[in-house]
């Protein structure tokens, strides 16, 4: 099923990350144009453990069948495209999940003053929050999956 594929992909890339840290293959691949912050994330054990902790709630929710269907469809698209080494399309799925089709992410009040005509005030309402915006657990595991996607791209370039 879709949820089992997402779980398998996460476990596969985490295992690949762990093995490549242990045998030093990640170090040689990281020399090819990684920024200092990316190098700090992918070349140490701490962020790997942090990513595992970020993804643990997702794996638990998958085991209990409690993952929201809309979120799961985006996660599946991210994992499928990453597995196919279509990292740009996987990133598009990530952006659709996190930002979506919202026009505006914050409520804003602004206006314009006109000479001898007063003040014209406008309020732009915030678009409806999606599951990513409203649930901190979802935010954590989506960010963890983003790290997994980046790691897959580093270890398995297209």
């Amino acid at each position: 099923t879709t949820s089992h594929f997402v779980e398998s992909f996460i476990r596969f890339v985490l295992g690949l990350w762990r093995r490549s840290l242990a045998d030093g293959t990640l170090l040689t691949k990281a020399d090819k144009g990684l920024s200092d912050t990316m190098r700090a994330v992918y070349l140490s054990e701490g962020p790997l453990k942090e990513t595992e902790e970020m993804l643990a709630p997702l794996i638990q929710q998958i085991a209990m069948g409690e993952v929201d269907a809309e979120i799961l469809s985006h996660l599946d698209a991210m994992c499928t495209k990453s597995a196919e080494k279509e990292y740009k399309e996987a990133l598009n799925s990530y952006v659709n999940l996190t930002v979506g089709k919202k026009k505006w992410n914050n409520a804003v009040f602004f206006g314009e003053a006109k000479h001898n005509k007063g003040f014209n005030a406008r309020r732009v309402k915030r678009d409806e929050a999606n599951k990513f915006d409203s649930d901190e657990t979802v935010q954590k595991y989506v960010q963890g999956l983003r790290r997994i996607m980046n790691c897959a791209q580093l270890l398995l370039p297209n």
Side-chain angles (χ1 to χ4, degrees), residues 12-30 32 34 42-43 48 82 85 87 147-158:
F12 171 74
V13 177
L14 283 173
L16 197 61
W17 187 357
R18 187 176 294 107
R19 281 191 305 276
S20 61
L21 266 177
D23 65 14
T25 56
L26 193 59
L27 202 57
T28 59
K29 293 187 181 207
K32 299 176 184 168
L34 269 186
Y42 294 106
L43 295 180
L48 173 61
S82 293
K85 298 181 181 181
Y87 300 112
R147 279 189 189 176
I148 292 290
M149 288 169 37
N150 285 339
C151 185
Q153 185 174 8
L154 179 63
L155 293 171
L156 307 167
N158 55 357

